Amino acid sequence: MLFFKPSFWSLLGLLIFTTQVTWAQNSCFDLIQDSQAAALYIAGNDLPAVQRAMGDLQSDLQKVSGQPVSLWSHKIPHAKRVIFAGTLENSPEIKQLIEEGYLSPPFTSNDWEHYSIQKLNNVWGIEELLVIVGSDRRGAIYGIYELSNQLGVSPWYFWADVPVLQKSRVSTDFSHLTSYTNCGYFDAPKVHYRGIFLNDENPALYGWVHERYGGFNHEFYSDVFELLLRLKSNYLWTAMWGKAFYDDDPLNAATADRYGVVIGTTHHEPMGRAHVEWERYGEGEWNYRSNDSVLNDFWKKGIERLEDYEASITLGMRGDGDEAMEEGTNIALLQHIVKNQRAIIDQAGKGNNKEQFQLWALYKEVQEYYEKGMRTPDDVMLLLADDNWGNLRLLPHPDSADYHPGGWGIYYHFDYVGGPRNYKWINTTQISRTWEQMNLAWEHHVDRMWLVNVGDLKPMEYPISFFLDHAWNPAEMTLEALEAYPSEWAAEQFGTQFAQEIGDMLTAYTTYNSRRKPELLDWNTYSLLHYREFETVVQDYNSLAQEAGVLYHQIPESHQEAYFQLVLFPIQASANLNELYYATALNHHYHRQGRASTNQLADRVRELYEKDSLLTLEYHQRNQGKWNHMMSQTHIGYTYWQQPEQQVIPNTFRNEPSSLGDLRVWVEGYTEPVSKEVSSTQLPLFDPLNDPSYFIELYNTGTTPLDYSLTNLEDWMEASATSGTIDKEERIYLQVDWGRVPSETESGQFQLETPGQTYTIEWGIKTPDVPASFSGFVEQDGVVSIPASQFSDQVAQEPSSYKVIPELGHQGDAVSLFPATEYERVPDLKSPHLRYDFYLENEVEEATQKEHHVTFILSPSLPFNSSKGLKMAFSIDDHSVQTLGLHEHYNWGERVANNAIHLSATTTLNASSIHQLRVWALDPSIVLQKIVIHSEALPPSYLGPPASLHLPIKPTK
């Protein structure tokens, strides 16, 4: 791509020009040189929004260089280095450069938000001229802010206190970007409207805004608009809980126009009127059957008020307060309403159709109107929606059958108020899941609008950045780009030194938080008794919190404020909340067992509950209280979908232990302590491949310390302790030193001596006879747990293949079939499928079969294919293929709360020990996380069995 047209040059001039171009290819433009920034110029008659953005670039250059920077608008400055920005239609100098052949932008003024950045040499007496050309005002603005990015000014410099560092030299570098050539750059968005929705904003955002700005006025929105434009966004649904953007401050709309941001009213606020305005000015019922004339007049005023501002107009009507309009699906009534609304727009809109577009939001029950046949005029955009939990509900078919000239959009959620429970407090979004669902939308040609509900805006900084970056060019957000995104985003906020570590932390805490929203957590979420699940979850959180705390003191002090908000606080607060519920679960468990430490756990619960408040207080007090109120959302003490008015400490128990006490024994794998009447138990089997450790937990029911000892313990069985004194409790871990085990050893026992009681602990050894050549997963205790991304092989069929989606799901990567546009595949050995090899200990005789259960754990995709349902299939060995429907008799609330689908089936396996499982995705968005194969019922747990041993052992990432 060449932006120059040198045909007008003489032979000598052409030679000089060619030399200049060659030099430009090897040297980019110095935005700052020896602490002196380039001068800025924009034509005084160019668009106000572009001029305002140039003022931001001037401010950015001054912050980075530490020196004053000149911004010229009526005269081209005489300087060696000048940055010049303008739009095709409104800048005389841009037109002049094009006419003279210096520039040839690869777009016209009819193109949407295109921009180019190009360096010219020796033009107008300027040695180096960096020219930003926009097809329209936002195109030029995005080009201007691209230079701010090059300066290292984060879009989050205000909203997350990311520091702007001074530098003596900054040179542009577009080489890592697409459409790069000749020290220049061209770009344009692929999704037309890209935006956010401020919602559910009480109490956090509400309290902060009123303290800082006095209300949701143009000063507040100015800061929001700048953030959006720096993020290359262009669209906003404004705060709406008791708020009216156009009515609360008459300067709000004019300010949006001055910035160049498109304003919309929400899915249930038609005709440019906020919901609360009906409460302020409406008369009678919000009912079109009985009050149509009043409603028509109410809506007419809304359209007249839009003047010539860029805006979207929501059509249709829902009930008062974001509810269904009425029971059932009255298509005739809604079509009548839309027809009348369109007439009002034509009469009162003053011909502003170029600046204002219309949309119909197919949200919740409104989607049913569409599915039952209601249609809108061709120029109306159809805004689809997720289920409020990040799962798309409906998509147009990827072929031309669902073509709609007005285009399709998606309304997505990072925050929600409603069932099965509100989630508003903290970021719980895995960007990999957002990518999978929005890539699905992109492949189904949804490219007119991507809009996401972000709640209070903070603390959703990270997923907001990702969502908008993805929306800018979905095709460039490949799986490789997705995997690199966390560290690259961290580098933009904190520099490169610790970017990988910080990116890994962002990925880890969002993975942990996405397993179950904090508001849905309680002391029963994870298992205390099986797989060491609850303690492992808490250990993982606490290890992450410790790592984040250590790094806080290693990063430069200048970045610590941003690090606290973006990394440290969400990790510490989430870790503390999970430990709070773990301590509560232990308290309940210890109370049932009569342990002396029950009260200690009750005290620990109160300590952690108070720590939650102290973390919030620290957030509110830091940086001179800049973010006071922003973390005031309640998140502890939910009893149903709606939030509690205030935090409520979890219920705990207290015991009154006797002075004498008693030592009791609890062995891993059992739900109850060892019976004193039987006084014997058996440890789970040891095996040399899995090399497990098991614990025996001794606990005191009284206040007098009591002694214990282990006797007759084999010398090759290593114990973390063999004797001691128990004040409260002690856990003894047992593991085998396999190098010292005598051959053919199978079983044995040892004794646990306590005051007045001797317990016999039996043990056994199983040695799986796995062939040396075997590659795959090995069972333990009759269970094979397979991470879906670790398949043995796949059969691909051009253009389809299975790809790993990094860090998606409860415990690691997931796998899905791409491209996500083919439906109702046939499961045979030639069609795309995955193969998993696994080993089961042979427990049946030859020629016999044993029934096994196969459980597939998947992401909670919805039947977006017009509710037909998504299907997958599997087979093991030579058994027939079984087809499973993801949406047959499913419980939506349970699935979104668990953030997973569990599909189970039974099959019989031959006596052979080595087996092959084959899995087919028959529809798009079959996102497989884990597979569990077992012969007996699994003990209850949330995450299921940990991953089984894989042979040969693969290196970790």
Side-chain angles (χ1 to χ4, degrees):
M1 185 182 302
L2 187 66
F3 294 148
F4 299 99
K5 286 189 177 179
S7 58
F8 70 96
W9 289 82
S10 64
L11 182 60
L12 178 61
L14 182 58
L15 177 62
I16 296 173
F17 177 84
T18 305
T19 304
Q20 291 171 340
V21 171
T22 303
W23 182 71
Q25 287 176 331
N26 298 313
S27 169
C28 280
F29 185 89
D30 283 342
L31 300 171
I32 299 173
Q33 189 178 93
D34 297 328
S35 297
Q36 296 297 317
L40 302 177
Y41 175 70
I42 182 170
N45 60 344
D46 212 325
L47 296 172
V50 184
Q51 296 192 49
R52 193 214 59 79
M54 280 294 274
D56 282 349
L57 179 58
Q58 178 189 28
S59 175
D60 293 345
L61 283 165
Q62 288 177 165
K63 291 173 184 175
V64 177
S65 68
Q67 301 295 328
V69 177
S70 59
L71 172 57
W72 300 70
S73 59
H74 299 289
K75 179 181 178 182
I76 298 173
H78 294 291
K80 290 184 177 181
R81 302 183 335 278
V82 176
I83 301 169
F84 166 41
T87 55
L88 283 175
E89 287 293 300
N90 299 280
S91 174
E93 291 85 357
I94 294 292
K95 293 180 179 179
Q96 179 185 350
L97 289 172
I98 293 173
E99 290 171 359
E100 294 178 353
Y102 286 98
L103 292 174
S104 181
F107 47 78
T108 71
S109 59
N110 292 323
D111 289 312
W112 182 262
E113 298 179 350
H114 288 49
Y115 72 89
S116 65
I117 303 174
Q118 184 64 53
K119 176 184 173 182
L120 305 179
N121 298 317
N122 299 321
V123 177
W124 300 333
I126 300 169
E127 289 186 12
E128 298 179 60
L129 180 67
L130 193 68
V131 185
I132 303 168
V133 184
S135 63
D136 52 22
R137 60 178 179 170
R138 278 191 297 274
I141 289 169
Y142 297 145
I144 290 167
Y145 282 134
E146 175 58 37
L147 296 190
S148 293
N149 292 337
Q150 298 274 324
L151 289 168
V153 179
S154 168
W156 298 100
Y157 79 92
F158 169 77
W159 284 96
D161 297 313
V162 178
V164 178
L165 303 182
Q166 286 194 6
K167 303 169 187 175
S168 61
R169 182 176 181 179
V170 179
S171 179
T172 58
D173 179 11
F174 305 109
S175 60
H176 62 290
L177 303 170
T178 57
S179 303
Y180 165 77
T181 184
N182 296 335
C183 198
Y185 177 52
F186 156 73
D187 208 354
K190 298 299 187 291
V191 176
H192 214 65
Y193 293 99
R194 311 162 306 281
I196 67 172
F197 176 21
L198 301 177
N199 191 217
D200 310 328
E201 63 272 18
N202 295 2
L205 184 63
Y206 176 89
W208 179 75
V209 167
H210 277 264
E211 182 172 296
R212 186 176 182 91
Y213 302 95
F216 285 76
N217 53 36
H218 71 282
E219 293 179 348
F220 161 70
Y221 279 114
S222 292
D223 287 333
V224 175
F225 298 150
E226 181 188 334
L227 171 69
L228 292 179
L229 293 170
R230 285 182 182 268
L231 291 168
K232 293 185 178 178
S233 169
N234 60 8
Y235 185 68
L236 178 68
W237 277 4
T238 59
M240 50 76 64
W241 276 22
K243 304 164 191 69
F245 178 80
Y246 293 106
D247 194 54
D248 290 342
D249 183 348
L251 295 178
N252 277 348
T255 302
D257 183 66
R258 186 167 68 88
Y259 277 78
V261 173
V262 185
I263 299 298
T265 49
T266 69
H267 51 86
H268 73 107
E269 297 180 310
M271 303 292 279
R273 300 304 300 259
H275 171 255
V276 74
E277 289 187 85
W278 180 253
E279 181 180 315
R280 295 175 184 176
Y281 308 116
E283 297 178 1
E285 290 184 308
W286 180 266
N287 186 316
Y288 204 77
R289 288 181 181 276
S290 61
N291 204 18
D292 59 345
S293 60
V294 174
L295 280 163
N296 287 340
D297 184 63
F298 176 74
W299 289 337
K300 178 182 177 183
K301 290 182 173 63
I303 299 302
E304 291 173 339
R305 186 175 58 187
L306 292 179
E307 300 181 8
D308 60 352
Y309 299 133
E310 271 193 283
S312 69
I313 301 172
T314 299
L315 299 179
M317 185 177 183
R318 296 190 74 218
D320 192 8
D322 198 10
E323 299 291 342
M325 183 171 61
E326 57 181 40
E327 289 188 18
T329 307
N330 193 332
I331 291 177
L333 175 60
L334 191 55
Q335 285 181 322
H336 177 64
I337 291 170
V338 170
K339 180 180 178 181
N340 288 350
Q341 289 173 336
R342 297 264 293 179
I344 292 170
I345 294 169
D346 289 341
Q347 295 165 9
K350 303 176 183 177
N352 294 326
N353 294 338
K354 182 180 179 182
E355 301 296 333
Q356 294 157 8
F357 69 98
Q358 299 165 29
L359 66 85
W360 183 34
L362 307 184
Y363 181 71
K364 286 192 174 180
E365 84 289 339
V366 181
Q367 179 177 309
E368 194 174 332
Y369 285 79
Y370 179 84
E371 291 176 322
K372 291 186 176 181
M374 178 172 167
R375 295 296 182 264
T376 60
D378 284 350
D379 61 320
V380 176
M381 187 192 78
L382 299 179
L383 184 63
L384 304 168
D386 68 354
D387 62 348
N388 305 305
W389 290 73
N391 309 298
L392 301 185
R393 300 176 64 214
L394 178 67
L395 287 173
H397 198 277
D399 64 21
S400 60
D402 285 330
Y403 173 71
H404 176 67
W408 300 83
I410 288 291
Y411 169 37
Y412 202 73
H413 285 75
F414 294 158
D415 164 286
Y416 180 59
V417 168
R421 189 132 328 157
N422 297 351
Y423 64 98
K424 298 173 58 178
W425 173 52
I426 209 163
N427 177 29
T428 60
T429 298
Q430 281 185 299
I431 63 168
S432 51
R433 178 59 173 170
T434 301
W435 178 89
E436 188 272 328
Q437 288 289 282
M438 296 309 297
N439 178 72
L440 186 69
W442 170 252
E443 292 192 1
H444 284 71
H445 311 304
V446 178
D447 59 4
R448 186 83 191 279
M449 177 181 288
W450 286 16
L451 173 70
V452 61
N453 186 325
V454 301
D456 299 311
L457 196 151
K458 294 178 71 69
M460 304 299 176
E461 301 95 337
Y462 174 53
I464 288 172
S465 287
F466 177 79
F467 186 89
L468 296 175
D469 284 342
H470 191 192
W472 179 264
N473 191 338
E476 284 192 356
M477 190 60 76
T478 61
L479 283 166
E480 293 75 20
L482 170 65
E483 188 167 23
Y485 190 87
S487 60
E488 290 180 354
W489 189 81
E492 291 174 1
Q493 320 311 321
F494 305 106
T496 58
Q497 183 179 3
F498 300 109
Q500 188 61 54
E501 292 94 325
I502 293 173
D504 291 344
M505 290 178 192
L506 293 170
T507 299
Y509 100 75
T510 51
T511 295
Y512 299 160
N513 278 356
S514 71
R515 291 169 177 167
R516 194 170 182 89
K517 307 291 188 187
E519 293 85 346
L520 278 158
L521 284 173
D522 62 31
W523 47 90
N524 292 312
T525 299
Y526 299 109
S527 175
L528 269 182
L529 305 178
H530 307 295
Y531 310 122
R532 304 181 192 172
E533 183 177 71
F534 215 148
E535 67 180 271
T536 300
V537 166
V538 171
Q539 286 171 359
D540 288 346
Y541 265 114
N542 287 346
S543 295
L544 184 64
Q546 182 179 13
E547 180 185 352
V550 169
L551 188 56
Y552 174 82
H553 297 287
Q554 294 176 342
I555 65 173
E557 186 176 351
S558 58
H559 288 77
Q560 287 180 347
E561 195 59 51
Y563 181 84
F564 177 82
Q565 296 170 42
L566 298 174
V567 184
L568 186 60
F569 175 82
I571 291 175
Q572 287 183 334
S574 301
N576 184 78
L577 184 68
N578 278 266
E579 188 174 0
L580 168 70
Y581 287 122
Y582 178 51
T584 305
L586 286 176
N587 170 264
H588 293 193
H589 180 57
Y590 289 4
H591 171 68
R592 288 192 298 270
Q593 293 184 337
R595 296 198 190 195
S597 56
T598 300
N599 299 350
Q600 182 180 339
L601 265 296
D603 294 338
R604 179 61 176 161
V605 169
R606 179 162 295 280
E607 178 185 335
L608 293 165
Y609 178 76
E610 292 172 353
K611 183 180 177 181
D612 178 271
S613 298
L614 293 174
L615 285 167
T616 301
L617 182 63
E618 181 181 4
Y619 195 108
H620 290 164
Q621 290 181 341
R622 290 180 69 103
N623 200 10
Q624 292 77 53
K626 178 179 177 180
W627 299 110
N628 191 29
H629 303 290
M630 195 57 93
M631 284 297 115
S632 57
Q633 174 62 43
T634 54
H635 49 277
I636 304 173
Y638 275 75
T639 57
Y640 68 117
W641 72 266
Q642 183 58 283
Q643 66 191 42
E645 289 299 315
Q646 60 186 17
Q647 308 261 80
V648 180
I649 189 170
N651 182 48
T652 55
F653 298 94
R654 304 189 78 86
N655 289 346
E656 295 184 6
S658 68
S659 59
L660 295 177
D662 186 19
L663 272 189
R664 300 301 308 274
V665 179
W666 176 47
V667 176
E668 182 167 17
Y670 294 87
T671 58
E672 299 295 335
V674 181
S675 167
K676 298 191 74 171
E677 288 73 22
V678 177
S679 69
S680 68
T681 190
Q682 183 165 355
L683 291 171
L685 292 174
F686 292 97
D687 78 83
L689 284 181
N690 291 288
D691 190 23
S693 69
Y694 301 115
F695 67 75
I696 300 170
E697 192 160 279
L698 285 74
Y699 61 89
N700 198 339
T701 64
T703 59
T704 302
L706 298 171
D707 297 332
Y708 76 92
S709 64
L710 300 183
T711 60
N712 299 321
L713 195 67
E714 304 290 344
D715 60 0
W716 43 262
M717 186 172 289
E718 300 175 341
S720 58
T722 57
S723 63
T725 301
I726 305 297
D727 183 25
K728 294 289 194 303
E729 61 257 333
E730 182 176 352
R731 183 174 286 187
I732 302 169
Y733 291 92
L734 298 162
Q735 195 161 12
V736 173
D737 181 353
W738 294 102
R740 299 167 58 198
V741 179
S743 59
E744 299 183 0
T745 300
E746 293 184 351
S747 61
Q749 62 184 34
F750 60 89
Q751 280 68 46
L752 171 61
E753 305 284 350
T754 67
Q757 185 80 26
T758 297
Y759 295 91
T760 297
I761 313 296
E762 298 178 356
W763 52 262
I765 289 178
K766 178 186 67 174
T767 304
D769 187 20
V770 183
S773 60
F774 173 74
S775 177
F777 289 89
V778 179
E779 66 96 354
Q780 181 181 8
D781 293 332
V783 176
V784 180
S785 179
I786 304 174
S789 61
Q790 296 182 33
F791 46 87
S792 301
D793 196 8
Q794 72 158 302
V795 171
Q797 189 178 64
E798 189 66 29
S800 299
S801 65
Y802 289 88
K803 296 181 180 179
V804 173
I805 306 175
E807 304 297 341
L808 172 56
H810 283 177
Q811 292 175 290
D813 302 336
V815 64
S816 191
L817 184 63
F818 296 95
T821 52
E822 295 191 34
Y823 295 81
E824 300 178 359
R825 291 179 174 274
V826 176
D828 58 40
L829 294 179
K830 294 181 180 180
S831 63
H833 66 274
L834 299 167
R835 194 192 84 224
Y836 299 89
D837 297 341
F838 63 96
Y839 174 92
L840 285 175
E841 187 69 16
N842 188 356
E843 298 177 352
V844 296
E845 297 178 0
E846 291 294 331
T848 64
Q849 296 181 334
K850 183 175 182 180
E851 187 175 82
H852 278 72
H853 306 276
V854 184
T855 300
F856 299 94
I857 301 174
L858 307 99
S859 295
S861 302
L862 291 180
F864 58 83
N865 55 345
S866 300
S867 300
K868 296 176 182 177
L870 306 180
K871 292 182 173 60
M872 61 171 292
F874 81 97
S875 71
I876 296 181
D877 302 330
D878 56 355
H879 293 279
S880 60
V881 174
Q882 294 190 48
T883 299
L884 304 177
L886 274 65
H887 304 105
E888 297 174 1
H889 314 293
Y890 74 102
N891 184 318
W892 172 84
E894 179 181 278
R895 288 185 175 188
V896 297
N898 294 337
N899 198 21
I901 294 173
H902 289 72
L903 285 185
S904 295
T906 57
T907 187
T908 53
L909 297 185
N910 297 330
S912 172
S913 294
I914 296 177
H915 304 275
Q916 290 186 339
L917 166 70
R918 299 180 188 273
V919 180
W920 290 263
L922 304 182
D923 289 301
S925 198
I926 303 294
V927 183
L928 188 57
Q929 298 182 18
K930 188 163 77 170
I931 306 160
V932 182
I933 302 166
H934 53 105
S935 58
E936 305 295 335
L938 294 175
S941 67
Y942 188 79
L943 299 175
S948 297
L949 175 71
H950 187 279
L951 295 177
I953 298 174
K954 294 184 177 181
T956 57
K957 289 184 179 179

